[in-house]
Amino acid sequence: MLVLRTLGALSLSDLNGEILLRRRNDLAVLSVLADRAPAPQRREAVQTLFWGERSEEKARHSLRQVVLQLRRACGTAFEANATTLRVAAESMHYDAREFAAAATGQRYRAAVDLWTGDFLIGCDDIGAEGFRAWLDVERERLRRLLALSYEATVKELVASDDRDAALAYAGRWTEHFPLDESAHQQLIAVLCGTDRGADATVVRSTFIRRFEADMGHAPSDEWLMATDEVISLSRRPGAAPIQNRPEGSEAMSSGAFAASAGALEDHDRLTRTPPRLVAKAVAYAVALSLAVVALGVLATRRGMGSGNRQVLAVGEIKSAFAADSMRGFSTLLSISLARIGDIDLINERRMSEVGADMRSDNLAAVARAAGAREIIEGVLARRANGALRADLRRTDLLTGKTLATYAVEGADATELADLLTEEVARNLEAPAPVARPEGTTRSIIAYRFYEQGLRAFHENDATAARRFFAAALAEDSTFAMAALYSAAVVGDSSDAYMARAVRYARRTNERERLLINIAWGKRMADTSVIYWADTLVTRYPSDPESQLVYALQVGAGANPGLALAPFRRVISMDSSIGRATGRCRACEAFGGMLEVYRRIDSLATAEQVARAWLRWQPHSTPAWIAYSRVLGESDRLAEAHAAVDSASKYSPGGDAYLMHEQWWFRANDYEAVDRAWRKAEQSAIPDQRLDGVWTHVISSRAQGRMQDAMAAARLYRRERLKVHDTGAGLLEAVVLSESGHPHAAALLFDSLANTVTGPFASRRAASRAWALSHAAGAYALVRDTVALQRLEDSVRVNGMIATDRFKRLHHYVRGLRLSVTGKPAEAADEFRKAVWRRQETHVRIYLELGRSLIAAGRPAEAIAPLIEALNGPVSSSGLYATRTDLQELLALAYERAGRRDRAIAQYTLVSRAWRAADPQFRPRRLAAEAGVARLSRAEGAR
């Protein structure tokens, strides 16, 4: 048998000793294969994982060398053929697999004893981004299992009254997790429970100093309060170790340690004991009992960090009568329990997702996979007097032990859920539940429709989701979350639903209110979103949705690199990765990471992330589209087109084909673009026909065929008006401006200024500011400074009401006014002030910035903004300006900056694009051709 060690040290050995000495790459490849054994792995996938950044030939050569070494070292335990690689799991002891099997098989002490250190230490600098992403995920998974195993081990030792071992394992826990508040809190309680309060004080002060040194701030207030109280209680007179207490002591009997947790586990005894004595008993138990600490009860009472808080899920609640009529009760109870402030609740949405992913109807297993530590289950019955009765139990998912039982009666489902919530809160000695928010529905029928809508929404069935959410709102028009999801699926009337969600958000629970605020803030591009997202992830750290929302907001901010860690956490947490259907947050996280790397100009790393995504989901259309975008932006256009073909293969009939047009535009291949729009205009699918007309307008403008562009723009406007698109005239206004009709264009832009209607003043103001800035561009063509002054004031006023992106637009209008009055340097300063986020700035700002810098005699500075504009998507670089206009200006910047070869290339593109242009473009085409000739002669003379 071969022995592969990956925990703490990396080695492979057989009966004769260690083999493959100092060959980290070979052993890392073997570890990946062993981790996935006995399933065979495609050679291409392994090659990409480790050498994806190299050329195809070099990557294949590297893989062949590794395969040769593994064949020699492993013999029959390693199988390789032309297409796959495989490790025979039965022929190799693999410590990480054995550790994980012990932990998931509830052999927690054995799992802890198998742990000898972190996974694949010293391998962070090998492999490609795909391997490093896998390594991060696998390390995090194994460390979570280790923490879970330590917690369960201490609990088992408490139950068996083995104090010395409990202290030893608690100490080892803190060694492996030196900054974990939960581990140190439990070690302190162990020491106090064994009459070692002085040692507990030293542990506490040492941890505080280390935490402050490493983290830059003190541990949480809750941890400080909880540990201080444990130590203080242990010093009180009469608070001797439990084994010395006399039988019948008011604080607790001296039986086994686990008995001290009885006050929390035995519901009947609690209900019979006077509350004053119960409270006093529990207070002493907290100070003196390992069992109470191990169960995290104190942490729950004090609201400790997510590692210590009670994490509950609602499981199966059977109905002994008319089962269908009460099918939504578990959801009703779940939402009601969320009103308890000091617990984390695995919400019904997450349970549904994980259950679908696991293809399991075992709700206990689903809850555990979703991160819950305890589950509430039971049965409903109807009493003879018509009242509802619930008999439920709260069970520890680690040990299967019943922690508490509840028997409650209520007049209806809502009252029953409320009474159960109050009982659970009392039992946990958590703060009383907050009042039921008025905006959260009391209708169980509305909940049922809402649940069905969520399921359809996460399965990407927008039609069914729209129907179910509408039914929920028909039952209860104040149901804020149903309104929020309706806004996501209804399309044109989404503002009305969003307004309803916002209106009732103040009366919902905390989590729902945060989600609604974030959705509204994203729609408004409001900077407050980051603060709401931070609150959400702090309050609900175990929810991957919270992590994803936070990561997306950070990734869109000023320091996008800070989003990479939370994106990786989402990938690690989201068990739905690899699913062919339904919501995949890990996929969204991969997409978010790609956007971050694009924003920080790290396309090489972005490519590795895209390949890692494809390794997880080789048949994912979004993954192939993302990969195509990275390749295209790296100017590897042939590969980008091939990736689009793969995307279309896995999603026939979708809109992946549009990416082909993006790369044809980037290659200035207008013949291919024109073939595409002509084909699309003949499609039987209305949306594809309109896509064809839209591309027709963009391509014709870039080639100087303005009459053709105008005809297509008017057709587009007529077709869009049939579906009441009030902004349908945008294309026509742009063409009018470029065709020598600036006044007509300005009037049409002005009419578009009020196209957005609805309840949100900021949306209406943003629409006006945006359209009026375009009108200003038209007036600048005729040098109408009076109109520009007026529009500058209007854009400023509307921008103040709108969000950050639009607050800067008046600088663009002022820059236009300064430019037409002959002040290019001052104009350039204003255009720079108008820039918002580099890759989300209006393309005409970059165009005018480049023009002003050239006029101010600073052509070298003009190159970067013009390239930025050209590299944007066709929806910006082709819509609000033509690519040929940008290339003509870029050629001039290159020429005046002395970069003749670059200028020749841009002038050549301009002359080719305008070779069949309308007569008005002939002088500019001839000037471009003259530029090519002039600069070519200069280059030849040199």
Side-chain angles (χ1 to χ4, degrees):
M1 291 289 288
L2 292 169
V3 177
L4 176 61
R5 293 185 176 88
T6 57
L7 299 176
L10 179 59
S11 67
L12 179 69
S13 48
D14 59 14
L15 292 175
N16 297 316
E18 192 171 343
I19 50 181
L20 287 178
L21 285 166
R22 293 183 294 279
R23 300 193 66 89
R24 290 187 306 148
N25 278 32
D26 300 346
L27 292 173
V29 172
L30 184 62
S31 300
V32 170
L33 297 175
D35 186 72
R36 299 170 182 180
Q41 301 301 307
R42 290 182 298 111
R43 277 178 174 259
E44 182 184 4
V46 177
Q47 179 178 305
T48 300
L49 199 63
F50 284 89
W51 303 282
E53 75 282 2
R54 300 185 186 179
S55 67
E56 192 74 17
E57 182 179 351
K58 290 182 178 178
R60 280 199 300 269
H61 174 74
S62 297
L63 180 60
R64 282 197 298 270
Q65 294 301 310
V66 171
V67 169
L68 179 62
Q69 292 293 334
L70 293 181
R71 276 178 169 157
R72 291 173 178 171
C74 301
T76 57
F78 175 71
E79 302 171 6
N81 58 39
T83 58
T84 63
L85 306 172
R86 176 180 176 273
V87 165
E90 66 279 3
S91 302
M92 182 180 293
H93 284 303
Y94 173 42
D95 59 350
R97 180 175 60 229
E98 293 170 5
F99 164 78
T104 56
Q106 299 186 20
R107 292 179 288 112
Y108 300 112
R109 191 168 180 177
V112 168
D113 291 340
L114 283 169
W115 186 267
T116 53
D118 276 334
F119 182 62
L120 291 184
I121 291 175
C123 292
D124 302 77
D125 59 339
I126 65 175
E129 173 64 23
F131 170 73
R132 290 191 289 272
W134 172 82
L135 182 57
D136 286 345
V137 170
E138 192 65 8
R139 273 185 186 160
E140 180 65 22
R141 181 181 74 88
L142 294 173
R143 284 186 66 81
R144 285 205 312 271
L145 287 175
L146 178 63
L148 188 72
S149 298
Y150 266 119
E151 181 178 8
T153 298
V154 172
K155 183 183 293 187
E156 291 170 358
L157 293 169
V158 165
S160 62
D161 206 13
D162 190 344
R163 301 165 187 245
D164 291 338
L167 184 59
Y169 278 94
R172 286 170 57 185
W173 187 0
T174 61
E175 291 173 6
H176 285 131
F177 295 87
L179 295 177
D180 188 293
E181 291 185 356
S182 174
H184 285 79
Q185 177 217 346
Q186 296 203 28
L187 174 59
I188 288 168
V190 168
L191 291 167
C192 290
T194 53
D195 201 22
R196 296 175 59 180
D199 292 339
T201 301
V202 172
V203 168
R204 183 177 186 272
S205 59
T206 302
F207 176 71
I208 292 172
R209 284 196 301 272
R210 179 166 184 174
F211 196 95
E212 289 175 338
D214 287 3
M215 304 298 292
H217 59 83
S220 67
D221 291 341
E222 294 84 358
W223 185 89
L224 294 169
M225 291 171 58
T227 53
D228 182 61
E229 181 171 342
V230 170
I231 293 172
S232 298
L233 287 172
S234 69
R235 292 172 176 166
R236 289 182 182 178
I242 291 177
Q243 67 267 27
N244 295 331
R245 286 196 173 278
E247 185 74 24
S249 165
E250 184 182 73
M252 281 279 172
S253 72
S254 61
F257 257 17
S260 62
L264 299 176
E265 297 168 354
D266 185 345
H267 174 71
D268 290 335
R269 181 160 57 85
L270 270 178
T271 55
R272 291 195 302 267
T273 306
R276 181 182 60 81
L277 295 181
V278 170
K280 192 170 183 180
V282 172
Y284 278 108
V286 167
L288 302 171
S289 170
L290 291 174
V292 173
V293 176
L295 288 170
V297 174
L298 181 60
T300 300
R301 295 173 188 164
R302 299 301 183 195
M304 296 290 285
S306 63
N308 292 333
R309 297 163 66 90
Q310 229 102 357
V311 185
L312 296 177
V314 176
E316 184 177 14
I317 300 180
K318 298 179 180 179
S319 177
F321 67 98
D324 188 65
S325 66
M326 294 299 292
R327 193 168 53 190
F329 183 75
S330 59
T331 302
L332 191 66
L333 178 59
S334 177
I335 295 176
S336 182
L337 288 171
R339 296 185 290 125
I340 302 175
D342 276 2
I343 66 169
D344 285 342
L345 191 80
I346 304 298
N347 59 61
E348 72 286 352
R349 170 190 49 73
R350 181 65 178 157
M351 289 283 286
S352 176
E353 289 175 358
V354 175
D357 181 42
M358 294 175 63
R359 296 178 175 83
S360 172
D361 54 5
N362 182 339
L363 292 185
V366 169
R368 184 170 175 175
R373 299 176 185 177
E374 301 173 5
I375 191 169
I376 293 178
E377 302 169 298
V379 64
L380 295 177
R382 177 80 72 181
R383 301 297 298 273
N385 61 1
L388 291 173
R389 177 185 171 89
D391 289 281
L392 308 180
R393 66 178 180 275
R394 179 165 58 86
T395 305
D396 189 310
L397 285 167
L398 294 175
T399 64
K401 186 176 184 179
T402 298
L403 303 176
T405 60
Y406 310 95
V408 177
E409 291 188 13
D412 55 31
T414 302
E415 181 182 349
L416 189 63
D418 288 347
L419 292 172
L420 282 166
T421 298
E422 294 170 5
E423 188 68 20
V424 170
R426 280 195 297 270
N427 181 217
L428 294 175
E429 293 199 349
V434 298
R436 174 179 286 277
E438 297 176 26
T440 299
T441 186
R442 298 177 68 87
S443 168
I444 197 168
I445 297 175
Y447 273 128
R448 286 176 54 193
F449 284 134
Y450 174 64
E451 270 190 314
Q452 291 171 295
L454 278 179
R455 192 172 299 114
F457 178 79
H458 292 302
E459 291 174 356
N460 298 318
D461 187 349
T463 302
R466 187 182 307 119
R467 184 172 67 251
F468 285 123
F469 291 137
L473 287 169
E475 288 292 327
D476 182 353
S477 62
T478 68
F479 195 170
M481 290 301 288
L484 175 66
Y485 278 99
S486 291
V489 296
V490 298
D492 291 341
S493 58
S494 62
D495 273 358
Y497 285 105
M498 182 59 76
R500 187 187 303 194
V502 171
R503 183 162 62 250
Y504 295 114
R506 296 175 183 175
R507 300 185 290 173
T508 60
N509 62 48
E510 180 188 43
R511 183 178 177 279
E512 293 177 353
R513 182 168 61 256
L514 287 168
L515 288 172
I516 291 169
N517 286 344
I518 290 167
W520 174 85
K522 288 167 65 177
R523 182 173 291 222
M524 299 294 105
D526 193 317
T527 54
S528 299
V529 170
I530 187 61
Y531 303 110
W532 291 324
D534 183 70
T535 302
L536 182 70
V537 78
T538 301
R539 180 68 183 86
Y540 304 99
S542 59
D543 181 11
E545 177 75 2
S546 303
Q547 294 284 351
L548 179 62
V549 167
Y550 175 72
L552 289 171
Q553 295 311 309
V554 173
N559 297 299
L562 298 177
L564 294 173
F567 275 133
R568 287 193 174 102
R569 281 196 290 274
V570 174
I571 293 170
S572 174
M573 294 168 68
D574 189 9
S575 61
S576 65
I577 191 166
R579 291 175 61 190
T581 60
R583 176 85 180 276
C584 173
R585 286 187 188 81
C587 307
E588 295 177 49
F590 270 120
M593 289 178 69
L594 286 172
E595 185 61 29
V596 167
Y597 284 123
R598 288 176 64 241
R599 285 192 63 195
I600 62 178
D601 294 324
S602 184
L603 287 176
T605 308
E607 181 180 349
Q608 299 312 310
V609 172
R611 290 188 177 192
W613 186 0
L614 285 170
R615 179 176 61 80
W616 284 100
Q617 289 195 317
H619 304 303
S620 165
T621 293
W624 281 106
I625 287 294
Y627 186 43
S628 171
R629 182 173 289 111
V630 172
L631 293 170
E633 291 179 359
S634 303
D635 288 321
R636 293 157 60 184
L637 299 180
E639 296 173 76
H641 283 298
V644 176
D645 289 336
S646 295
S648 299
K649 178 173 67 176
Y650 297 123
S651 181
D655 57 3
Y657 70 93
L658 293 175
M659 288 297 293
H660 279 307
E661 296 176 4
Q662 174 79 22
W663 308 136
W664 286 326
F665 272 115
R666 193 177 182 101
N668 300 284
D669 188 349
Y670 292 110
E671 292 181 2
V673 172
D674 289 350
R675 285 195 300 271
W677 66 250
R678 289 191 183 100
K679 180 180 178 180
E681 285 187 344
Q682 303 304 315
S683 172
I685 303 173
D687 285 346
Q688 287 190 8
R689 286 201 304 274
L690 277 177
D691 285 340
V693 176
W694 187 91
T695 305
H696 184 172
V697 175
I698 303 301
S699 180
S700 296
R701 288 169 51 230
Q703 297 175 73
R705 303 200 307 261
M706 304 309 292
Q707 293 181 12
D708 191 15
M710 179 61 75
R714 286 174 173 162
L715 172 61
Y716 185 88
R717 185 182 187 187
R718 288 196 300 272
E719 292 299 312
R720 292 303 299 165
L721 285 174
K722 291 178 181 178
V723 293
H724 309 291
D725 181 358
T726 52
L730 175 62
L731 280 178
E732 186 176 346
V734 169
V735 177
L736 282 170
S737 182
E738 296 169 344
S739 301
H741 305 287
H743 286 99
L747 289 173
L748 185 49
F749 278 128
D750 193 64
S751 71
L752 293 173
N754 296 303
T755 56
V756 173
T757 59
F760 299 121
S762 55
R763 286 285 299 275
R764 298 194 300 270
S767 173
R768 286 194 290 272
W770 186 248
L772 292 176
S773 70
H774 284 290
Y779 283 119
L781 294 174
V782 293
R783 311 179 72 83
D784 189 341
T785 56
V786 175
L788 288 172
Q789 179 68 65
R790 172 177 55 82
L791 289 173
E792 181 185 339
D793 293 338
S794 296
V795 171
R796 181 192 298 108
V797 170
N798 283 285
M800 290 171 63
I801 303 172
T803 50
D804 280 2
R805 185 179 184 184
F806 303 97
K807 286 179 169 63
R808 303 166 183 260
L809 270 181
H810 71 279
H811 290 294
Y812 166 67
V813 182
R814 183 183 301 167
L816 290 173
R817 181 166 58 83
L818 291 168
S819 180
V820 300
T821 55
K823 300 175 181 177
E826 296 176 45
D829 291 340
E830 290 299 319
F831 290 135
R832 287 192 191 278
K833 292 177 184 177
V835 172
W836 186 50
R837 291 174 181 163
R838 201 192 72 195
Q839 295 173 335
E840 300 175 54
T841 292
H842 180 20
V843 70
R844 289 205 67 87
I845 295 175
Y846 285 136
L847 184 146
E848 297 297 344
L849 174 58
R851 196 192 311 277
S852 294
L853 288 169
I854 293 171
R858 293 148 58 187
E861 293 180 47
I863 293 171
L866 291 171
I867 290 176
E868 189 71 53
L870 271 170
N871 286 343
V874 178
S875 58
S876 59
S877 64
L879 176 59
Y880 300 114
T882 72
R883 293 182 60 81
T884 318
D885 284 337
L886 290 165
Q887 288 162 342
E888 182 186 36
L889 202 54
L890 183 58
L892 181 60
Y894 276 135
E895 180 179 4
R896 294 190 180 178
R899 302 172 69 174
R900 296 191 190 97
D901 55 338
R902 299 293 181 91
I904 290 171
Q906 295 301 319
Y907 278 135
T908 300
L909 293 175
V910 170
S911 64
R912 287 176 182 172
W914 283 340
R915 63 190 170 198
D918 293 346
Q920 72 188 74
F921 290 91
R922 187 171 184 272
R924 293 167 68 184
R925 178 175 60 81
L926 293 175
E929 292 172 353
V932 173
R934 180 177 63 254
L935 294 172
S936 296
R937 286 194 300 271
E939 283 288 286
R942 190 178 66 172

